[in-house]
Amino acid sequence: MGSEVIKLWIITILMVLGVASSSSAEGYYRKVPCYFIFGDSLADNGNNNKLETVAKVDYQPYGIDFPEGPTGRFSNGLTIVDVIAELLGFKEYIPPYASSKLLDIFFGVNYASGSAGILNETGRQLGARIPFDMQLENHRKVMLRLAKILTTEKAARSYLGKCFYSVGLGNNDYINNYFVPDYYKTSQEYTLDQFTQLLIQQYTNQIKRLYSYGARKIAIFGLGSLGCTPYAISTYGNGSSCVEIMEKASILFNSLLIPLVDQLNQEFPNATFTYIDYYGIGQTAAGIGFTNGISGCCPVASDGQCIPDEIPCRNRTSYVFWDSFHPTEVLSKYIGQRSFKALYPSDAHPFDIRTLLQLDEQISAI
């Protein structure tokens, strides 16, 4: 026990001094000391594994191209946040909060949960999940644990201010709430515009709460093409074309994130926020060789997830979708790389993740 305490304090001192995030004998460089992830199934890497929920994928063929096999990632391999972690310089992927250890909190944890939403009730028909409010509460607990180690809450906030944060929610608030009238009354109580405004208002308060817990470098991911997923097309469409009303939801929500980011940057000049255009980047992915964009690579059950132990397609690099909702590893790599380093100015607003971190370094040096 004593040696573990000494080891923890050594790491703590290195972190505070910034040594652990700079370099090693191998020339290894990490751009930030820690990375914290908030989101839904697009980022979940195991938090749902022990929950009573339909939305968990700790079985084959999920993870067929991931070195560790099925981990709880809703993918055949890497997710977008895994790719970003690599580009940030992390040797290991960010661990799920549900199975994280004490030392992990110095390097970051992943709070994301399949079927989670901005609204707490979203996804309840699928079972247990960890909505954004609860993910934020888990981060508050991490902040308090750091405060005990670093002796003050101010020191913990200062350390957390050096970390990078990605946030991506809202998908389920539409596909597992507004567009499920058998379980939710939201589509009867609100127009699409009104519901989207409600989400943005709640989201704004939640992101400000994240800021209050020390976050200063935050990338907010927009929604993907909700109406063009295999599930949307087979359930609500005509089998071949995207569902217009669901596409409208994606575009409307995303259009409100841009002024939100501008507002946050103006309101909190000691922090840096940016918007990543997941939808727009995904729309241009056809140019990298996909031949199938309307069906998933694995055989799926009625819930749109892979049927356990069924054999998926072999040409996985040709598929946009892994199951009926989630991207294949190759698409995740494409989106993750362009999120980090934009190919077009429209990929991010006001700048990509790489520029966000560079600007923050310049501000800190002044």
Side-chain angles (χ1 to χ4, degrees):
M1 180 65 72
S3 63
E4 283 299 309
V5 172
I6 293 171
K7 181 180 178 182
L8 182 59
W9 275 104
I10 290 173
I11 290 176
T12 302
I13 293 169
L14 290 174
M15 290 293 187
V16 172
L17 294 177
V19 176
S21 64
S22 58
S23 63
S24 70
E26 300 173 353
Y28 166 63
Y29 178 78
R30 192 165 62 245
K31 296 174 177 61
V32 288
C34 34
Y35 176 24
F36 290 95
I37 299 162
F38 299 83
D40 51 31
S41 58
L42 292 173
D44 189 353
N45 64 346
N47 285 308
N48 277 21
N49 286 355
K50 295 183 179 179
L51 298 182
E52 292 294 325
T53 176
V54 173
K56 60 181 174 182
V57 292
D58 53 345
Y59 60 86
Q60 297 180 350
Y62 288 97
I64 190 171
D65 297 312
F66 193 76
E68 299 173 23
T71 58
R73 287 169 168 82
F74 290 71
S75 171
N76 59 304
L78 301 180
T79 63
I80 294 168
V81 295
D82 289 329
V83 176
I84 291 172
E86 288 182 342
L87 293 169
L88 288 171
F90 286 85
K91 282 187 174 181
E92 298 180 355
Y93 300 116
I94 307 302
Y97 174 78
S99 58
S100 61
K101 300 176 176 62
L102 181 57
L103 292 179
D104 290 331
I105 66 177
F106 285 98
F107 303 98
V109 294
N110 183 331
Y111 303 103
S113 172
S115 77
I118 294 169
L119 302 180
N120 291 329
E121 65 268 24
T122 287
R124 67 175 179 234
Q125 78 279 14
L126 301 177
R129 68 262 172 236
I130 310 169
F132 193 20
D133 276 339
M134 192 177 297
Q135 293 179 34
L136 289 168
E137 175 59 20
N138 289 337
H139 188 60
R140 187 185 72 85
K141 292 176 182 177
V142 164
M143 181 186 70
L144 294 177
R145 290 167 72 187
L146 281 171
K148 287 184 178 181
I149 297 168
L150 299 174
T151 70
T152 68
E153 191 170 311
K154 181 179 179 181
R157 291 176 191 274
S158 177
Y159 179 73
L160 290 170
K162 298 178 174 66
C163 307
F164 175 67
Y165 298 76
S166 64
V167 180
L169 292 109
N171 297 286
N172 287 306
D173 294 289
Y174 291 103
I175 62 176
N176 278 309
N177 188 326
Y178 192 79
F179 292 118
V180 190
D182 291 344
Y183 289 94
Y184 300 93
K185 295 182 179 180
T186 46
S187 60
Q188 302 167 31
E189 296 173 344
Y190 303 97
T191 65
L192 185 60
D193 285 9
Q194 291 170 337
F195 183 71
T196 301
Q197 289 287 350
L198 175 70
L199 291 180
I200 292 295
Q201 181 179 5
Q202 175 78 349
Y203 210 24
T204 301
N205 293 334
Q206 290 167 328
I207 293 169
K208 288 182 178 181
R209 184 176 161 195
L210 178 58
Y211 170 87
S212 76
Y213 296 156
R216 295 295 182 270
K217 308 168 188 175
I218 305 171
I220 302 172
F221 279 75
L223 304 188
S225 184
L226 296 180
C228 296
T229 64
Y231 183 83
I233 293 172
S234 63
T235 305
Y236 304 106
N238 59 14
S240 60
S241 59
C242 300
V243 181
E244 185 176 349
I245 186 64
M246 298 181 80
E247 284 296 275
K248 181 180 178 182
S250 297
I251 294 169
L252 179 60
F253 183 86
N254 291 342
S255 71
L256 296 179
L257 288 183
I258 294 174
L260 170 59
V261 162
D262 290 339
Q263 172 194 329
L264 292 169
N265 279 321
Q266 184 173 7
E267 186 172 347
F268 302 111
N270 64 334
T272 312
F273 301 82
T274 198
Y275 161 72
I276 304 298
D277 186 11
Y278 184 113
Y279 184 99
I281 295 172
Q283 292 292 305
T284 65
I288 64 172
F290 290 117
T291 58
N292 190 318
I294 62 172
S295 61
C297 175
C298 69
V300 296
S302 59
D303 60 9
Q305 294 179 184
C306 299
I307 299 172
D309 300 319
E310 287 289 321
I311 299 173
C313 66
R314 292 185 178 182
N315 54 332
R316 292 186 280 279
T317 57
S318 299
Y319 277 69
V320 171
F321 293 98
W322 166 241
D323 55 17
S324 290
F325 296 101
H326 307 98
T328 52
E329 178 184 74
V330 66
L331 180 58
S332 291
K333 286 183 176 181
Y334 181 75
I335 294 174
Q337 289 165 355
R338 280 182 56 177
S339 301
F340 191 82
K341 182 181 179 181
L343 182 62
Y344 303 115
S346 59
D347 288 351
H349 174 86
F351 28 65
D352 56 25
I353 293 171
R354 185 184 65 157
T355 305
L356 181 154
L357 299 177
Q358 290 173 342
L359 288 173
D360 187 80
E361 287 178 0
Q362 293 170 11
I363 293 171
S364 299
I366 296 175

